[in-house]
Amino acid sequence: MATLHLVNRSPLESRALEQCLARAGEGDAVLLIENGVYAAVKGADSEAVLKSVVGRVRFYALGPDLDARGVEASEVGETIRIVDYGGFVDLTADYRPIQSWS
């Protein structure tokens, strides 16, 4: 089964996303949570990094965390699917193991 990677730190404050993507394998998923959702914003420095692994890795961002940070859905890159808490739970059921990056 593929791995679910949880990234909770902004790419501006941590190398967690970069380290995660260096280890993410084919078919893995990355869920951006907490300040990690800043990586989902169109035009962010991390956009090119995310696009470089699309097709190998699926990307998700937690909607309530986007909302809490004032990020509108229209500001999120097209390669990233926004999920609610139920979607978060579904991802934890669909992927094993789960790896947290911070």
Side-chain angles (χ1 to χ4, degrees):
M1 203 174 238
T3 300
L4 174 62
H5 300 271
L6 305 176
V7 177
N8 71 343
R9 303 283 299 276
S10 164
L12 299 175
E13 65 182 345
S14 168
R15 294 188 59 219
L17 179 62
E18 183 182 326
Q19 293 168 342
C20 164
L21 295 178
R23 291 199 170 65
E26 182 77 32
D28 284 359
V30 174
L31 176 59
L32 303 169
I33 60 172
E34 300 171 3
N35 284 344
V37 298
Y38 288 121
V41 176
K42 291 178 193 172
D45 291 343
S46 56
E47 186 174 31
V49 174
L50 297 181
K51 285 184 176 182
S52 73
V53 295
V54 166
R56 181 172 64 92
V57 177
R58 292 185 180 102
F59 291 99
Y60 301 87
L62 189 60
D65 288 345
L66 290 166
D67 294 341
R69 286 153 182 82
V71 179
E72 301 286 331
S74 62
E75 297 176 276
V76 174
E78 60 277 347
T79 60
I80 299 167
R81 182 172 169 219
I82 299 172
V83 297
D84 58 12
Y85 289 119
F88 189 165
V89 172
D90 291 342
L91 289 170
T92 64
D94 292 343
Y95 291 88
R96 294 278 187 227
I98 299 168
Q99 174 68 50
S100 292
W101 300 86
S102 56

